[in-house]
Amino acid sequence: MRKRIVMLALTAVLLGGGTALSPAAAETGEDATSAGRVLANGTVVAPDGEVHYDVDLSGLPGAEVVRESGKSLGNGGCTFQEEGRGHASEPGRVLVSTEVSFDPNTCTREVARADYPRNNLPESVQRKVDAQAPGGVEESASKKTKLTDAQRRSAGAAAGGPWSGSIKVNVEDPPQIDVTTTKSMLTWSTDSAYLYSDHSSEWGWYSPTGWERKEDFYAFINDGNVAWTNTIGKYRNGAFCLTIDTWTHHKETLFEGWYDGSWYWSYEVDKWGGCTALLSYERIVVTP
């Protein structure tokens, strides 16, 4: 059983906000068409209020676009839940999810999901995995904890690692720039006596357009049974939407690994304030 304070479920909260656009938020302003309003760099708001992001799906070959239903928060926002788990296997996988559209009226969204072998990534996906977070602040730690007798017997029969995995959550603006980012990384292994773990947390924010980090926190655990890394960050931009502050809060970015090679990930991220319809989410998970 997991013993932790942080939440485990993915909750993507998309809060409505002001629609006024500043030059920083829209390079060419706003054009009306029969399909709706065309906002910065191709983002379209349909007449019914559904937002369609300008996402180039050719960069996610083989991606499947699916519609997800969320839960209304009663204030114009919605909550979407997602999580993933599995067991370490060669060569590992890279799991990418990118928002394509969001309908605040029905609390539904479309996301493009793709799944690739870790050792055979399309070049466009490899760039996403390798991309450095803007700002590039990182914290790291290492830990080892004794296994129980039962775990030692089980670990002695298993490969023992080392295994490595990560989760990165990006909030993107219309040009598909990662404006705020959190990333959690974990490497772990076992021998006949200990569970070893290396933890890294990374934060990024795109300061050229006014983003700044306001709060940050990271946590890591290795209790001899499971190890995990969690990264939290809150960001603000006072120039993105005229005089209305825009906020993102990466409330959880969690990757965990168990002594037997099992893994689990989840995240929670909120956005609120001005022009939040222009911001979309991207999630990249690397599994062992």
Side-chain angles (χ1 to χ4, degrees):
M1 294 292 100
R2 298 179 179 82
K3 295 181 180 179
R4 69 169 72 96
I5 298 175
V6 297
M7 293 178 62
L8 295 180
L10 157 73
T11 308
V13 182
L14 299 99
L15 296 180
T19 56
L21 299 178
S22 70
E27 295 179 4
T28 59
E30 179 178 315
D31 298 320
T33 71
S34 59
R37 292 177 294 137
V38 180
L39 306 183
N41 294 75
T43 299
V44 175
V45 179
D48 64 359
E50 184 172 25
V51 182
H52 298 267
Y53 302 109
D54 187 22
V55 178
D56 182 7
L57 293 183
S58 67
L60 290 177
E64 177 187 15
V65 177
V66 299
R67 184 168 288 274
E68 297 179 344
S69 296
K71 179 182 178 181
S72 174
L73 298 176
N75 60 358
C78 298
T79 299
F80 293 86
Q81 293 187 328
E82 184 184 19
E83 61 183 9
R85 66 181 72 245
H87 196 280
S89 62
E90 294 296 338
R93 312 293 297 180
V94 173
L95 317 174
V96 183
S97 176
T98 297
E99 275 190 317
V100 176
S101 69
F102 168 60
D103 187 345
N105 303 302
T106 61
C107 276
T108 59
R109 66 176 182 174
E110 289 180 312
V111 295
R113 295 177 181 166
D115 181 341
Y116 306 101
R118 190 169 171 173
N119 64 352
N120 188 25
L121 293 178
E123 183 178 349
S124 56
V125 178
Q126 186 67 60
R127 287 197 298 268
K128 290 179 180 291
V129 173
D130 295 339
Q132 297 296 308
V137 177
E138 184 175 338
E139 298 282 353
S140 60
S142 298
K143 192 173 182 181
K144 69 176 184 178
T145 305
K146 284 187 176 181
L147 302 172
T148 66
D149 290 340
Q151 290 164 349
R152 282 197 295 270
R153 288 192 293 271
S154 177
W163 305 290
S164 64
S166 66
I167 175 172
K168 180 165 64 171
V169 178
N170 301 318
V171 177
E172 299 185 322
D173 66 7
Q176 300 298 292
I177 295 173
D178 301 337
V179 293
T180 65
T181 292
T182 47
K183 183 177 182 180
S184 292
M185 295 159 278
L186 176 68
T187 298
W188 75 105
S189 62
T190 59
D191 60 13
S192 59
Y194 289 93
L195 173 65
Y196 301 87
S197 58
D198 294 309
H199 310 258
S200 293
S201 292
E202 187 174 320
W203 299 261
W205 57 97
Y206 194 63
S207 58
T209 56
W211 288 96
E212 58 182 343
R213 185 177 64 168
K214 303 300 291 184
E215 296 179 13
D216 63 274
F217 178 76
Y218 72 98
F220 61 91
I221 286 292
N222 176 342
D223 64 6
N225 184 51
V226 59
W228 53 260
T229 306
N230 187 27
T231 307
I232 297 167
K234 181 183 284 188
Y235 306 90
R236 170 189 171 273
N237 191 319
F240 186 70
C241 194
L242 294 177
T243 59
I244 308 171
D245 286 353
T246 305
W247 292 83
T248 67
H249 190 187
H250 298 238
K251 298 171 71 174
E252 178 185 76
T253 314
L254 177 77
F255 194 94
E256 71 176 31
W258 292 67
Y259 74 93
D260 63 356
S262 300
W263 49 263
Y264 173 88
W265 62 264
S266 63
Y267 81 88
E268 179 180 357
V269 59
D270 298 354
K271 60 179 182 178
W272 70 92
C275 301
T276 53
L278 293 174
L279 300 176
S280 59
Y281 296 134
E282 179 181 64
R283 175 262 296 163
I284 303 168
V285 174
V286 178
T287 76

